[in-house]
Structure formats: C-alpha cells, structure tokens
Amino acid sequence: MKLVLVQGDITEQSVDAIVNAANSSLMGGGGVDGAIHRRGGPEILEECRALRASRYGRGLPVGAAVATTAGRLPARWVIHTVGPVYSRSEDRSHLLASCYAESLHVADSLGASAVAFPAVSTGIYRWPMEDAARIALQAVRQAGSRVTEVRFVLFSPAAYAVFERALEELG
C-alpha cells in the first residue's frame, strides 16, 4: 500500500472514496463533515437519512464506518466514520484506530483502490495532532486492506508537517 501526504482540500480529491470525519447523526456538521456535505450536495444527506431510518437509528457508533454516494464530489463514495472525542483521563486510541481500519474495511467491500483520509478527531474533537498522526499511520499500515493508495489530506501546513514527521519516524 502506498501512503501519500497531500496538503489541501479533501473535497477536491479524485479518488475512489473520501473519508468523512462525521458526527454520529450523519446529518452533516462543521469542519470536514460540513465541507463534504456542502460540496457533495443533497444526495449524500439523502442517503445518510436513509441509513438513520434503517440501520443506524441511534446514530453511527464511534469507530464504525459506513458508505454513501459522493454526490457531486470527484470521488465515487464517501465513507463516514465517527472519531472519538479526545480525553486525558481515558485512553480512546483504539477507537481512533478503528475509524481508519473500519473505513478501509468498507473501502475493500466497495472495491475501492484509492482512499483519501482527513486527520480524524483533530478538529473540534481536540485530539492532539502528533498522537493522531501516529495512530492513523499505524492503523492504516496494520489494516491488511486491499486498497493500493491511502492519501492523507491535511488542510494546514502545520498538520502536513506533523504527518510528514510521523511518517518518517515510522519508516
């Protein structure tokens, strides 16, 4: 699997699937989630509503992942995953790792070969970027996925630099 770092906007990535750092409601929100819903259009929200009405009446659990159409995005699918809120008093790193592993499992089920990830949980959920980068890169490497390219799309130069250092440290 090829790991690629890109500084930019995840909604502009021409890949099979982009991963949305969603909230459990699947109804859109701020940050990456809001950007994906705005740019992707109403088709994404329509499928999210159907998922809530059928399989996820109580919302998508933290660490789980599910796919919808990508609507007007250049990708084919959006894989929604719910990251954990960072806590100093409770180790939730397994839940953050699960976001990446489960997203790749969904990508495998779709037949996706290229997937773009944001830095899940590093925005409003306040996960420290250095720790999040290490967890993300390790989880992707250990996932055993058939995906051939994983692209981490980092919005800021600072986030890109942190992921670049973490990737170098992992070898």
Side-chain angles (χ1 to χ4, degrees):
M1 172 188 305
K2 180 179 174 184
L3 297 179
V4 177
L5 303 180
V6 175
Q7 184 188 332
D9 181 343
I10 198 165
T11 67
E12 296 175 353
Q13 301 302 305
S14 293
V15 290
D16 296 312
I18 63 170
V19 176
N20 179 17
N23 62 55
S24 64
S25 77
L26 297 174
M27 297 293 120
V32 170
D33 192 16
I36 287 171
H37 276 270
R38 280 189 303 278
R39 178 125 190 253
E43 299 86 355
I44 297 172
L45 184 57
E46 184 178 315
E47 284 193 30
C48 285
R49 282 189 177 127
L51 286 167
R52 284 298 305 271
S54 60
R55 295 174 34 204
Y56 299 105
R58 293 185 175 161
L60 185 64
V62 173
V66 66
T68 65
T69 181
R72 294 182 226 143
L73 296 168
R76 293 178 63 191
W77 301 285
V78 173
I79 299 172
H80 306 267
T81 191
V82 180
V85 174
Y86 179 73
S87 170
R88 289 181 184 200
S89 62
E90 179 185 349
D91 182 9
R92 298 177 180 167
S93 57
H94 66 287
L95 293 170
L96 184 55
S98 180
C99 291
Y100 292 94
E102 290 300 313
S103 293
L104 288 172
H105 177 73
V106 170
D108 284 341
S109 73
L110 295 169
S113 61
V115 177
F117 281 96
V120 176
S121 285
T122 61
I124 195 164
Y125 291 174
R126 301 180 319 277
W127 204 286
M129 189 65 71
E130 292 79 9
D131 195 41
R134 180 187 52 77
I135 291 167
L137 292 164
Q138 286 176 342
V140 165
R141 281 193 169 163
Q142 295 170 359
S145 174
R146 293 184 307 276
V147 169
T148 58
E149 179 184 320
V150 169
R151 191 178 302 176
F152 287 94
V153 183
L154 296 314
F155 194 70
S156 73
Y160 180 91
V162 169
F163 267 75
E164 187 174 45
R165 278 193 307 275
L167 186 57
E168 288 171 7
E169 288 172 8
L170 289 174

